[in-house]
Amino acid sequence: EAAVTQSPRNKVTVTGGNVTLSCRQTNSHNYMYWYRQDTGHGLRLIHYSYGAGNLQIGDVPDGYKATRTTQEDFFLLLELASPSQTSLYFCASSEGGRNTGQLYFGEGSKLTVL
Amino acid sequence: QQKVQQSPESLTVSEGAMASLNCTFSDGTSNNFRWYRQHSAKGLEVLVSIFSDGEKEEGRFTAHLNRANLHVSLHIREPQPSDSAVYLCAVSTSNTNKVVFGTGTRLQVLP
């Protein structure tokens, strides 16, 4: 049973479009993360959160908003999508503390912006 | 801002030969290090975690940490073709819980 579930798994939109990527975790973890993965860049941190209503800025936040509505749910919002945001997006959760870095990943959401 | 760099970008080894991957980080307060493996843009699996200087072995995977040199490495003993994947190091500090990944090393193991 998947503990971190992302949706949609694949999304195609046009430049200027509005996209919401969803992530739900059933690990009861405090921390949730959104990363993007592009060839040559590894995983880059967009935003992360340590609980409902909290948001921390990652390393590549421009063009992205995020919202943590509950302990389980973390959303990534692209309000004016651009082709540079074409990427594979991963959500992850973590217990935090000494287990910081022990991330449990979703299966990824592939976004194409035409 | 934490910078995490990995080298080499790609590595080809023969089955059974040792594979060595490197990771350097910029924040000397980092205290939490993990190596992940990713097969073909799929999910990531943790291979080994290390929190203090020295080495940590998990099966055929051994991590070495030298915080003074801002360096952590991964050594894969007797690699197999099924070990062909992208390897990512993850660096974090337990007080911020911000987890930064390196740029990745693509490993190919030839039979």
Side-chain angles (χ1 to χ4, degrees):
Chain A
E1 182 178 334
V4 180
T5 305
Q6 293 182 230
S7 62
R9 296 289 313 280
N10 284 283
K11 175 74 175 179
V12 180
T13 190
V14 296
T15 300
N18 200 318
V19 176
T20 298
L21 303 181
S22 302
C23 179
R24 166 164 283 198
Q25 57 105 356
T26 57
N27 297 318
S28 300
H29 286 164
N30 291 324
Y31 289 84
M32 295 185 74
Y33 304 78
W34 276 108
Y35 291 90
R36 61 178 289 174
Q37 184 173 35
D38 307 284
T39 303
H41 292 281
L43 285 166
R44 292 185 289 176
L45 180 63
I46 305 171
H47 292 297
Y48 62 112
S49 165
Y50 62 73
N54 176 264
L55 182 66
Q56 302 292 313
I57 306 300
D59 295 328
V60 289
D62 292 346
Y64 301 96
K65 292 184 179 179
T67 181
R68 181 90 175 268
T69 55
T70 65
Q71 178 84 344
E72 295 78 20
D73 298 302
F74 195 29
F75 299 93
L76 186 67
L77 297 83
L78 293 74
E79 293 184 332
L80 287 171
S82 72
S84 65
Q85 293 176 308
T86 293
S87 188
L88 180 60
Y89 292 86
F90 283 101
C91 175
S93 73
S94 170
E95 189 175 4
R98 181 169 175 82
N99 288 321
T100 293
Q102 177 75 44
L103 299 181
Y104 296 83
F105 285 87
E107 294 186 328
S109 295
K110 184 177 179 182
L111 174 66
T112 302
V113 184
L114 301 175
Chain B
Q1 180 172 327
Q2 171 87 274
K3 300 292 184 188
V4 181
Q5 297 286 333
Q6 290 184 237
S7 63
E9 286 188 17
S10 64
L11 177 65
T12 300
V13 300
S14 297
E15 185 173 3
M18 177 77 77
S20 296
L21 290 67
N22 298 295
C23 176
T24 59
F25 52 96
S26 61
D27 183 353
T29 66
S30 302
N31 60 1
N32 199 305
F33 306 86
R34 285 179 171 83
W35 283 95
Y36 284 81
R37 178 169 68 183
Q38 183 183 31
H39 285 105
S40 301
K42 292 193 170 70
L44 288 79
E45 59 174 326
V46 174
L47 299 172
V48 58
S49 306
I50 188 165
F51 309 108
S52 56
D53 286 348
E55 72 172 45
K56 175 78 176 297
E57 182 177 316
E58 294 284 355
R60 295 183 295 109
F61 303 96
T62 301
H64 289 263
L65 174 62
N66 184 326
R67 289 177 60 183
N69 288 343
L70 304 176
H71 183 260
V72 58
S73 60
L74 177 69
H75 304 275
I76 307 172
R77 179 169 44 86
E78 299 177 0
Q80 300 154 12
S82 58
D83 291 321
S84 297
V86 174
Y87 290 76
L88 294 154
C89 72
V91 181
S92 55
T93 56
S94 53
N95 62 339
T96 67
N97 293 280
K98 181 180 180 182
V99 184
V100 180
F101 282 81
T103 47
T105 292
R106 182 172 298 277
L107 175 67
Q108 184 177 19
V109 183
L110 301 176

